Amino acid sequence: MSAYPNATATAATATDAESADPCCAAPLPVLGRDVTVPLVTGGEVTYAALDYAASAPALQRVWDDVSAYAPYYGSVHRGAGYLSQLSTDLFENSRVTVAEFLDCRADDQVVFTRSTTDSLNLLAAVLPADCEVFVFETEHHASLLPWQDARVTYLNAPRTPAQAVETLERALADRDPYGPALVCVTGASNVTGELWPVKELAAAAHAHGARIVLDAAQLAPHHPVSVRELDVDWVAFSGHKLYAPFGSGVLAGRSDWLQDAEPYLAGGGASKKVARRADGGVDVEWHTTAARHEAGSPNVIGVYSIASACKALTEAGFDQLVAREQHLVDTVRAGLAEVPEVKVLSLFGDDAPRVGVISFVVEGWNSSHFAAALSAEYGIGVRDGLFCAHPLVRTLLGSDPQTQGECGAPEAAPGEKSLNAIRVSFGAGTPDEHVERFVRAVKELVRDGAQWKYRTEDGRCVPDRG
């Protein structure tokens, strides 16, 4: 980026605020850290964004890098002009940066997509004929649903990491040993935050002749991800969860299935040569590089924002970031443990390692009502619902209906009881004050109740301003 004025200068800002003590270190600066929001009870407060698992705020570093590049914006790959060539270099160098961030193998391909969902749908589209897919019911819908055109075996939710490996091994042992197979697994749950035994699952998959794809949407923003060390065949993640906006994602890994399949999208960029035939048809020679599945004009700014975020996290040092996040996790879990009415959701138990994602329910409260009160009365943004992981949340909640409260729970399907939970999530941009305010708010709401009345509007619980 030395070709862009001030671009290299912005790169140094990512770690300036870091301290030697991980428990007290300032977070990486993010956009929106000074935004204030009104409270229904009067006054304003700095917004506490605690919904990182849905979309993390963009790093200030990312925004500065993108702003420095923006005047040089140009189309990539097919332009002769200076800006086009410069943008092409930036685009392809971003591919190298992502490969380094993921510690990819030399012959792996990095394909840029729109999101984790898009990445996994791309992989589903290139599966070999008769490929059998194995996926746990605990997956986010992005990694649970794309395989429905294949032969899919859905595996029950395990209750320990060892049980996850045993469950997969039993399922793989019963498959046709000569046909292609793929295992899809998350690195960190978007509901419980718990880390999955990815390396052990990869070993089990390979021992039975299967391949494995890692959904790293919730893992990559919090922990280093090494394709080599984990020995996964592919990894997918989203920029908007990695502190990078603009709707880009990544699918990185082995190239053979990608090269053997028809392009995910047909169009310019994916095609290497197109010619009319004598019979009036068209012959197409497709690229064998990552471009084969990147038809159309790519999202250059989105791709560069991912590369910038990868650099910022690497330069900040994952050891320090992980240690500080663990401090925040411990703060939240200790605070919630002091409230008997709070039940934290978990598959693997209290001692399981986890990232900054915690879901819970509160006795006597509907989760939508509780989340609305956190926002309206404390300026805290969390998530409520089933978190696009309906089978998992239903398994964790069991069959106990929630208290209706002043706002009813989301409508249930016929024959089902209404269930939902609250999720708090945080990361490298979260100040200590935000999680401390959250813990204090939970205790006050449980002890004193909401200060305001709420009603259901368009399926959401909102303050009653009537």
Side-chain angles (χ1 to χ4, degrees), residues 199-387:
K199 188 172 184 177
E200 292 80 3
L201 291 167
H206 294 153
H208 290 85
R211 298 190 181 190
I212 186 168
V213 57
L214 169 63
D215 175 353
Q218 299 296 338
L219 183 64
H222 304 277
H223 279 261
V225 174
S226 170
V227 170
R228 295 175 194 264
E229 182 179 343
L230 295 174
D231 197 22
V232 294
D233 297 280
W234 293 277
V235 60
F237 70 87
S238 294
H240 74 100
K241 298 184 191 295
L242 195 80
Y243 310 102
F246 310 122
S248 283
V250 168
L251 176 68
R254 301 196 182 279
S255 62
D256 53 350
W257 286 7
L258 293 167
Q259 291 179 359
D260 292 342
E262 290 295 301
Y264 183 46
L265 296 173
S271 54
K272 187 176 182 180
K273 180 180 179 181
V274 180
R276 291 291 302 274
R277 296 194 305 264
D279 64 3
V282 175
D283 286 327
V284 183
E285 180 183 351
W286 303 107
H287 280 293
T288 57
T289 63
R292 184 182 188 89
H293 298 288
E294 294 177 343
S297 296
N299 182 354
V300 183
I301 288 182
V303 165
Y304 179 50
S305 70
I306 289 180
S308 174
C310 288
K311 288 182 179 179
L313 291 171
T314 300
E315 291 167 7
F318 266 109
D319 287 347
Q320 182 166 329
L321 294 176
V322 169
R324 184 177 184 278
E325 184 174 309
Q326 187 59 52
H327 161 66
L328 299 180
V329 170
D330 292 343
T331 298
V332 172
R333 287 179 59 81
L336 295 180
E338 295 174 356
V339 185
E341 294 84 354
V342 170
K343 175 187 175 183
V344 174
L345 305 184
S346 175
L347 270 177
F348 300 153
D350 290 343
D351 296 331
R354 67 195 71 223
V355 300
V357 178
I358 299 169
S359 295
F360 62 98
V361 291
V362 183
E363 181 182 346
W365 284 79
N366 172 262
S367 295
S368 295
H369 185 193
F370 200 89
L374 286 173
S375 175
E377 300 178 25
Y378 295 91
I380 299 171
V382 297
R383 182 61 58 104
D384 66 276
L386 299 176
F387 317 127

Side-chain angles (χ1 to χ4, degrees), residues 8 60 154 233 280 295 348 459:
T8 54
Q60 184 68 54
Y154 295 104
D233 297 280
F348 300 153

Side-chain angles (χ1 to χ4, degrees), residues 70-121:
Y72 301 88
Y73 177 85
S75 63
V76 304
H77 294 148
R78 295 177 293 279
Y82 177 80
L83 298 190
S84 178
Q85 293 184 38
L86 189 143
S87 295
T88 298
D89 286 344
L90 178 141
F91 184 80
E92 293 302 331
N93 286 334
S94 295
R95 203 186 303 276
V96 174
T97 297
V98 171
E100 292 174 346
F101 179 75
L102 296 173
D103 190 25
C104 288
R105 297 163 292 250
D107 55 351
D108 284 340
Q109 286 188 346
V110 173
V111 180
F112 289 117
T113 65
R114 294 180 300 171
S115 60
T116 306
T117 302
D118 194 34
S119 296
L120 294 172
N121 275 272

